Structures are given as structure tokens and as C-alpha cells.
């Protein structure tokens, strides 16, 4: 005897209301991250025009890219010398990755995170269909990706409407592909953090496959490149005789993964998963709040550590190639200097790459500090605090891992740079560790938000997004130094190669300390969030 199933319309009941709620709830996150991504793309044509203003300079760039496997591994092959094609080459992979990150955050937040917190059970008790939450999460991600596609298409239309449309649609397709990947991960796991980690691992694997394939060939034809959705994006070839049929690959993959996610969603109970957590030992082995915090964070710390070390190895190995590529191009040298260096081109490149990893480390510390918020709002903190554990001791366990983990991943990044570059561990170590005061300021502000206004704690992602916007796009747009100084990273010494000015560093450390202390004091005095 088969179990009757509800009609599709009944299983999607309430989807519209949930979509409106999700868009309202994520309006700041979606707006900021989409704006950062769009501005990164739209700012590139003018930057490239300044760097390679003549046909001879662009032709020389194509020749150097064809012979520079390290550069192709980083940004992919270039298929044409127009400003539009160079824009797609320079930022296409990274804009696609950023669209994927935005999508996975949105989907996991409105699926597995809602179930983990218990809110989904309350929603499901109303007139809401079984698959409405999943559908609303995917539609919310679709809105974010559609906005990105529209901004890119309109903003680059002057360089060719067909190429602009291809790039915009390609970025949106990458975003939606990883949105459905996140939807599957949300069905397989019991933890939102694990769902995000699995999806991020798939994204990392896609980047590695594309990089390996592009380093082997100069036309994107490697099998490894075609195994990666990011490789599909570059093989769409915006502004270079577009291959529109590549979009059918995205459509098929999105449809297939979406069907798998819907099938899994219909075969489990709310709050359960297909990969349940293993039962612990009969006798507990965690003797302190700090041990519990490390147990909760260890997977994230290990994943970020590995990623930063490998990134350091890759960027370190590219240092000499980057010097050959920039050569005597004064505009390129100027942009590298504004991003992080002042002396020899190898130092400027290393400083810029270390600075970029410092910006990314701000995402790690926000995610780790917000684990406090997740533990509190899900109700898991209350049983811990009901024992002989004070709030400060409980919070300190998480914050030690968050702030100490930031130091660890930057240390491993420095070791990776030294391994890839083959020398100068001391200056690279100093350059990496000098990023920490700015990273800790972002973490301190997150603690302050959580302590003073826990409902606003997720807005810390907006702080991280603003830091990325200023750090990534500001130098390329030649914005005034006053704008760059809004970010804590704008006050750091430019290492390696620059002089160390201690007063700004000490001020940043003081700001991080005061904001963290203020957040903990507020946490101690307020009621627990629910």
C-alpha cells in the first residue's frame, strides 16, 4: 500500500509569504553582497583601460597569459583583447565564486538553520506546505542572482550587449548551481555549519579543478576545467564569440540538483537528516566550556587553515610570474601599491595577496563569533549556562577559538607563501601577523553587536562585506585615502617592503579590545536571546 502524497500546490502552500519574509530578513545581506560583487565587475573595465590602454599592451598581455601557467591557474585563460573580454577574464571566476557564497549562505540560512533553531517546526505547524521553505530559500537566492545578472548586464552593455548578457547570466547560473548544492547539503546534514562547510568544500574543489585544468592548457579545453562549474563560466566566453550552449549545462545541473533536493526533502522529518550525528560516548569527555567550544569549532578551523595554507602556496608560487606580468606598467604597479605594497614589485604583489587573505580572514572571524549567537538563539547555550558555567567563561571559550583561529590561519598562510615563494619566511610572517589587528577589530565589533543587540548580530556580515568592498574595489577605483581609511585594514603597515608605524596598529588593538570587552559586559547583563 502506497502512502498518499499531497498535491504539488499543497506542498508549496505559503511559499509567497515565506519568500517575502526571507527577502525582508536578508535585505541587508543580499543588497550588500550583490553590490560588492557587481561593483567588483563593473569597476574593472576602467581599471583595465588604464593598465592596458593600447592594442599593443593588450596583445602583449594575451601572449604573457598564454605562456604563464600560474596566472592562468589564478584567473583563467583570456580569449580576446577587448575590455569586456579582459573584464570577464580578470574577475569572472571570483565574481562567480562570490555569487556562490552568497547563494549558499541564503539557502542554508532559510532551510537547515531554521530547522536547527526549531523555528521551522513552528512554521510547519501553520498552513505551510512541506516543500515551501526549500522553495522560498531557492527563490530568494534566485532574486539575489537575478539582481546581480541585471546589474552586470546593464553596467557592461556599452562593451557589448551580447557579452554583458552572457557574463551576467553566467554569474547568476553559478550562483543558482551552488544554491541547489546547498539545498542538497541542507537535507543531508543536521547542522547548518556542516551544510555550509560541505557546500564550501564543493566550491573549493571546483576552483581547484578549474585551476589545475587552466594551468595545463591555455584555451580552457582541459577535462579538469570542464568538470568545474567555474570552468563552465569561463568557457561561456563572454565578449569572445559567446558559447550560449554552455548555459544548458548550468540549466541541466541546476534542474538535476534541485530535483534531488526536493526528493530528499520529502523523505525526512523536520529537523532530521540523512547523515545524522553519531551518538557520543556513554561517559562525556568534554570537561569544560572551552573544550566544548573547540569541539564545535574544530572542523571550521581545520578547513580554513587548510584553505589559507594552500592559497599561500599558490600565491607564493605566482610571485615571480606576477613580476614578469606587471613589468614596467606603471598603472599596474600603482594599483598593487594601493592594495598593499610600496617597494619592489615582488613585495607589492606579496603585500597585496597577504592583504587580500587578511580581508578574507574577516569572514572567518565573523562566522566564528556568530557561533555564540547561534548557540544562544537555538537554545543550546541555556543548558550549558544552567550548570556551573558563567556567561563570560562560556563566551570566552568561543572567542579564544575565533580570535586565536584567525591568528592560526594567517600564520599558516605565511608558511604557505614561504613554501610557494621559496624564501623570506620572516618578512612574510610579519606581514601576515600584522593583518590581525584589523581582523580582530571586525571580530570585536561582531562581539559588541551580539552583546548589545543580539537581534542585529547577523548584521556583522554587512561589516565584513563593507570591508571587502573597500579593500578589493577601492584601490582599483582610485578612491580617496579617506575612504580607504574607513576600513581598519587601511591603517595597517604595508608589509613586506614598507615601514612599520606602530600608533595605528596599537589603536586598532585598543579598538578590538574595547569593543570585545563592551560586548562581553553587555552579554553578562542582558537576558538570553531566543
Amino acid at each position: 500500500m502506497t502512502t498518499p502524497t499531497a498535491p504539488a500546490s499543497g506542498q508549496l502552500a505559503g511559499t509567497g509569504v515565506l519568500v517575502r519574509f526571507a527577502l525582508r530578513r536578508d535585505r541587508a545581506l543580499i543588497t550588500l553582497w550583490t553590490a560588492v560583487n557587481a561593483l567588483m565587475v563593473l569597476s574593472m573595465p576602467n581599471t583595465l583601460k588604464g593598465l592596458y590602454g593600447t592594442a599593443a599592451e593588450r596583445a602583449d598581455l594575451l601572449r604573457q597569459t598564454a605562456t604563464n601557467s600560474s596566472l592562468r591557474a589564478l584567473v583563467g585563460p583570456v580569449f580576446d583583447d577587448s575590455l569586456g573580454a579582459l573584464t570577464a577574464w580578470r574577475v569572472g571566476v571570483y565574481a562567480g565564486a562570490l555569487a556562490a557564497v552568497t547563494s549558499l549562505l541564503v539557502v542554508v540560512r532559510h532551510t537547515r538553520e531554521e530547522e536547527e533553531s526549531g523555528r521551522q517546526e513552528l512554521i510547519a505547524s501553520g498552513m505551510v506546505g512541506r516543500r515551501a521553505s526549500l522553495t522560498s530559500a531557492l527563490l530568494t537566492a534566485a532574486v539575489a542572482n537575478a539582481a546581480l545578472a541585471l546589474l552586470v548586464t546593464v553596467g557592461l552593455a556599452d562593451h557589448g550587449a551580447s557579452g554583458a548578457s552572457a557574463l551576467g547570466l553566467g554569474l547568476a547560473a553559478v550562483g543558482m548551481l551552488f544554491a541547489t548544492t546547498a539545498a542538497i547539503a541542507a537535507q543531508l546534514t543536521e547542522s547548518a555549519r556542516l551544510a555550509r562547510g560541505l557546500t564550501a568544500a564543493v566550491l573549493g574543489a571546483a576552483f581547484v579543478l578549474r585551476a589545475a585544468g587552466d594551468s595545463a592548457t591555455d584555451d580552457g579545453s582541459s577535462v579538469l576545467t570542464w568538470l568545474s562549474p567555474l570552468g563552465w563560466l569561463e568557457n561561456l566566453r563572454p565578449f569572445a564569440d559567446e558559447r550560449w550552449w554552455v548555459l544548458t549545462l548550468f540549466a541541466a545541473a541546476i534542474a538535476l540538483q534541485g530535483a534531488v533536493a526536493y526528493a530528499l526533502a520529502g523523505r525526512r522529518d523536520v529537523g532530521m537528516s540523512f547523515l545524522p550525528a553519531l551518538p557520543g560516548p556513554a561517559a562525556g569527555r568534554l570537561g569544560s566550556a572551552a573544550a566544548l567550544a573547540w569541539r564545535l569549532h574544530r572542523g571550521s578551523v581545520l578547513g580554513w587553515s587548510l584553505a589559507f595554507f594552500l592559497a599561500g602556496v599558490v600565491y607564493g608560487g605566482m610571485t615571480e610570474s606576477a613580476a614578469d606580468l606587471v613589468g614596467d606598467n606603471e598603472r599596474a604597479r600603482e594599483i598593487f601599491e594601493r592594495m598593499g605594497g610600496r617597494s619592489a614589485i615582488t613585495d607589492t604583489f606579496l603585500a597585496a595577496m597577504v592583504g587580500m587573505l587578511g580581508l578574507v580572514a574577516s569572514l572567518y572571524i565573523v562566522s566564528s563569533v556568530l557561533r555564540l549567537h547561534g548557540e544562544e538563539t537555538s537554545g543550546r547555550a541555556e543548558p550549558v549556562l544552567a550548570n556551573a558555567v558563567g556567561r563570560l567563561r562560556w563566551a570566552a571559550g568561543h572567542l579564544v577559538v575565533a580570535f586565536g583561529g584567525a591568528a592560526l590561519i594567517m600564520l599558516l598562510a605565511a608558511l604557505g607563501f614561504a613554501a610557494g615563494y621559496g624564501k623570506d619566511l620572516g618578512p612574510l610572517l610579519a606581514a601576515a601577523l600584522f593583518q590581525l589587528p584589523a581582523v580582530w577589530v571586525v571580530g570585536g565589533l561582531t562581539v559588541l553587536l551580539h552583546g548589545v543587540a543580539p537581534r542585529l548580530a547577523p548584521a556583522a556580515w554587512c561589516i565584513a562585506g563593507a570591508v571587502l568592498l573597500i579593500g578589493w574595489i577601492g584601490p582599483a577605483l582610485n578612491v580617496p585615502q579617506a575612504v580607504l581609511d574607513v576600513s581598519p585594514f587601511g591603517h595597517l603597515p604595508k608589509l613586506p617592503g614598507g615601514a612599520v608605524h606602530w600608533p595605528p596598529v596599537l589603536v586598532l588593538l585598543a579598538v578590538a579590545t574595547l569593543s570585545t570587552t563592551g560586548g562581553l559586559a553587555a552579554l553578562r547583563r542582558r537576558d538570553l536571546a531566543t
Side-chain angles (χ1 to χ4, degrees):
M1 179 178 179
T2 59
T3 303
T5 59
S9 59
Q11 295 195 16
L12 299 180
T15 299
V17 175
L18 292 179
V19 170
R20 291 194 295 272
F21 174 70
L23 289 174
R24 183 180 183 279
R25 186 180 174 193
D26 284 347
R27 61 188 183 276
L29 183 149
I30 290 175
T31 300
L32 182 60
W33 283 71
T34 301
V36 168
N37 208 351
L39 286 173
M40 180 175 68
V41 176
L42 300 182
S43 67
M44 196 51 57
N46 286 336
T47 300
L48 292 170
K49 186 176 181 180
L51 288 170
Y52 310 102
T54 67
E57 289 175 332
R58 292 194 292 270
D60 185 56
L61 173 65
L62 263 66
R63 286 194 298 271
Q64 293 185 44
T65 304
T67 59
N68 192 326
S69 60
S70 296
L71 183 64
R72 292 198 307 272
L74 183 64
V75 291
V78 58
F79 299 108
D80 194 78
D81 64 356
S82 67
L83 287 177
L86 292 180
T87 296
W89 160 72
R90 181 62 185 83
V91 297
V93 169
Y94 293 95
L98 192 56
V101 171
T102 305
S103 298
L104 76 89
L105 289 175
V106 168
V107 171
V108 173
R109 186 181 189 192
H110 294 288
T111 52
R112 175 52 60 183
E113 189 171 308
E114 290 293 279
E115 294 187 41
E116 190 177 6
S117 67
R119 289 187 292 266
Q120 182 59 41
E121 191 170 358
L122 294 176
I123 293 173
S125 64
M127 298 188 64
V128 175
R130 186 179 185 86
R131 293 180 172 86
S133 294
L134 175 59
T135 305
S136 67
L138 292 174
L139 288 176
T140 302
V143 170
N145 287 295
L148 174 63
L150 180 61
L151 290 172
V152 170
T153 300
V154 174
L156 296 180
D158 290 344
H159 300 279
S162 179
S165 299
L167 182 57
L169 290 173
L171 295 177
V174 172
M176 287 308 301
L177 178 60
F178 282 93
T180 53
T181 303
I184 294 175
Q187 312 307 315
L188 295 177
T189 66
E190 284 189 352
S191 164
R193 180 172 291 266
L194 183 55
R196 286 190 289 263
L198 286 175
T199 311
V202 174
L203 176 58
F207 188 92
V208 170
L209 286 172
R210 182 214 57 80
D214 286 342
S215 66
T217 62
D218 61 0
D219 60 356
S221 60
S222 170
V223 173
L224 295 177
T225 301
W226 282 103
L227 290 176
S228 168
L230 297 177
W232 300 352
L233 175 62
E234 69 181 31
N235 274 300
L236 183 57
R237 298 193 178 185
F239 302 98
D241 296 326
E242 294 80 14
R243 295 174 168 178
W244 294 103
W245 59 268
V246 175
L247 290 176
T248 62
L249 296 178
F250 283 109
I254 292 169
L256 177 61
Q257 291 193 152
V260 171
Y262 274 90
L264 294 176
R267 288 169 170 77
R268 65 176 181 85
D269 294 331
V270 174
M272 302 303 292
S273 69
F274 289 91
L275 298 176
L278 296 177
R285 293 179 294 185
L286 300 178
S288 66
L292 175 61
W294 168 246
R295 175 65 179 82
L296 294 173
H297 286 272
R298 66 182 182 184
S300 174
V301 172
L302 294 175
W304 280 88
S305 297
L306 178 61
F308 267 53
F309 178 76
L310 293 178
V313 171
V314 172
Y315 292 141
M318 287 188 57
T319 303
E320 297 296 341
S321 299
D324 294 337
L325 180 65
V326 174
D328 296 327
N329 192 315
E330 293 299 327
R331 175 60 175 159
R333 186 184 296 271
E334 178 185 346
I335 287 181
F336 270 118
E337 290 175 353
R338 287 174 62 80
M339 289 181 69
R342 298 191 334 183
S343 57
I345 191 60
T346 54
D347 283 345
T348 62
F349 176 78
L350 287 169
M353 295 300 101
V354 171
M356 185 182 71
L357 290 182
L359 294 171
V360 176
S362 65
L363 300 179
Y364 162 78
I365 201 166
V366 168
S367 173
S368 297
V369 173
L370 286 182
R371 185 61 189 255
L372 278 172
H373 179 72
E375 292 294 297
E376 188 175 345
T377 56
S378 66
R380 290 189 296 269
E382 191 169 354
V384 177
L385 296 174
N387 293 284
V389 177
R391 293 192 186 188
L392 294 185
R393 185 176 159 201
W394 165 72
H398 290 274
L399 296 185
V400 166
V401 178
F403 285 74
L408 175 63
I409 64 175
M410 292 307 301
L411 171 63
L412 290 172
L415 294 176
F417 273 104
Y421 187 34
K423 53 185 175 181
D424 294 340
L425 174 59
L428 289 169
L429 184 60
L433 295 182
F434 265 96
Q435 299 292 316
L436 291 177
V439 176
W440 287 343
V441 165
V442 176
L445 294 175
T446 306
V447 177
L448 184 63
L449 273 176
H450 172 66
V452 174
R455 292 185 61 184
L456 299 179
W461 288 112
C462 297
I463 297 176
V467 165
L468 289 174
L469 176 63
I470 295 172
W472 281 359
I473 301 173
L477 292 180
N478 200 28
V479 300
Q481 186 63 39
V483 176
L484 297 179
D485 288 343
V486 172
S487 168
F489 291 89
H491 302 276
L492 297 174
K494 314 306 180 185
L495 301 176
V500 177
H501 299 287
W502 284 101
V505 175
L506 296 176
V507 169
L508 290 175
L509 289 173
V511 171
T513 301
L514 291 174
S515 56
T516 302
T517 302
L520 291 175
L523 172 64
R524 187 179 182 184
R525 287 172 172 80
R526 66 168 172 80
D527 293 334
L528 288 179
T530 57

